[in-house]
Amino acid sequence: GQNIDQPTEMTATEGAIVQINCTYQTSGFNGLFWYQQHAGEAPTFLSYNVLDGLEEKGRFSSFLSRSKGYSYLLLKELQMKDSASYLCAVRGGGDYKLSFGAGTTVTVRA
Amino acid sequence: DARVTQTPRHKVTEMGQEVTMRCQPILGHNTVFWYRQTMMQGLELLAYFRNRAPLDDSGMPKDRFSAEMPDATLATLKIQPSEPRDSAVYFCASGLVGQGENTIYFGEGSWLTVV
């Protein structure tokens, strides 16, 4: 299986930047995903990395280093609506299933 | 706007009753997942199907849970008999996996309470 670790909680101020780290251990790595989940709602897709490097998508960027088993999600120009849980998920083991970390709850304060 | 559809959205049932949750994946998607989410355990994979064939149900308690995909437009998750510890949100997700696009989309979930 996959071991996926991410911080439990983070707090930041509106307009600031927050970086959520994720470390993982898996065999047969085949992609890393970030999802956003607001309380009481379903997870929604944010980003996908399969090669090393940075993927930028508006205010959100995701970075991957396969050799280090490490990824981060960068949230810039934080808004109140960004308060949510951010889930790191890894596809590995030679199949198509997605294993999720416990999630990082980000609280944005005015 | 294509989306994964789940029913029921909310279900309260008594211990010992049978519960069936249904999922309509996005048309054309070849992989369907069932996840369970609780505060304590987070998102756990229960089972998944590729091209309607079950690939992995190792995360599912076999004595009371069963998952099937009778056709390409319907996946079901059944609990019989239900127990209070089954109270959770059950998410269905689908994706076109292994063919370029890798995004997996979640339904809105079935919120189950067993009393």
Side-chain angles (χ1 to χ4, degrees):
Chain A
Q2 288 90 11
N3 294 319
I4 302 169
D5 291 311
Q6 51 182 128
T8 304
E9 295 179 326
M10 301 182 77
T11 301
T13 306
E14 197 173 16
I17 297 173
V18 70
Q19 178 174 313
I20 306 169
N21 296 323
C22 171
T23 58
Y24 64 90
Q25 292 177 307
T26 187
S27 58
F29 174 83
N30 192 24
L32 186 140
F33 297 73
W34 285 96
Y35 281 79
Q36 180 191 60
Q37 186 177 25
H38 285 101
E41 298 182 7
T44 55
F45 171 79
L46 286 180
S47 69
Y48 167 70
N49 296 69
V50 67
L51 300 176
D52 290 351
L54 188 67
E55 294 282 341
E56 297 187 81
K57 194 183 290 186
R59 294 187 299 113
F60 294 179
S61 303
S62 58
F63 171 83
L64 174 67
S65 169
R66 289 172 295 170
S67 62
K68 296 182 180 178
Y70 168 71
S71 172
Y72 68 72
L73 179 69
L74 196 68
L75 286 62
K76 294 178 279 190
E77 300 170 20
L78 279 172
Q79 302 175 9
M80 299 299 286
K81 66 178 181 179
D82 297 329
S83 292
S85 179
Y86 291 85
L87 303 164
C88 175
V90 172
R91 177 181 293 147
D95 58 25
Y96 299 100
K97 64 185 178 184
L98 209 55
S99 296
F100 283 82
T104 299
T105 300
V106 172
T107 302
V108 181
R109 298 204 167 138
Chain B
D1 190 22
R3 57 178 180 160
V4 178
T5 304
Q6 290 185 243
T7 58
R9 290 295 318 280
H10 299 273
K11 175 78 174 179
V12 180
T13 191
E14 291 185 345
M15 181 173 62
Q17 295 297 306
E18 177 180 300
V19 176
T20 299
M21 289 167 275
R22 294 176 174 81
C23 169
Q24 181 177 5
I26 293 174
L27 188 65
H29 280 185
N30 61 1
T31 308
V32 176
F33 304 82
W34 282 106
Y35 285 92
R36 174 172 64 184
Q37 187 174 40
T38 61
M39 289 292 290
M40 295 299 294
Q41 299 295 329
L43 265 171
E44 303 173 278
L45 179 67
L46 296 175
Y48 82 106
F49 298 80
R50 181 168 169 80
N51 296 323
R52 293 179 54 203
L55 285 194
D56 188 343
D57 61 0
S58 59
M60 200 165 66
K62 301 290 191 305
D63 57 337
R64 299 183 298 108
F65 284 59
S66 61
E68 295 180 345
M69 201 160 176
D71 63 59
T73 65
L74 177 65
T76 62
L77 180 67
K78 187 178 295 185
I79 308 174
Q80 168 62 24
S82 59
E83 297 180 1
R85 59 179 168 155
D86 301 329
S87 298
V89 185
Y90 291 81
F91 286 107
C92 175
S94 75
L96 187 61
V97 177
Q99 299 186 29
E101 180 184 330
N102 288 281
T103 306
I104 295 171
Y105 299 89
F106 281 78
E108 293 184 318
S110 291
W111 299 70
L112 175 66
T113 302
V114 184
V115 297

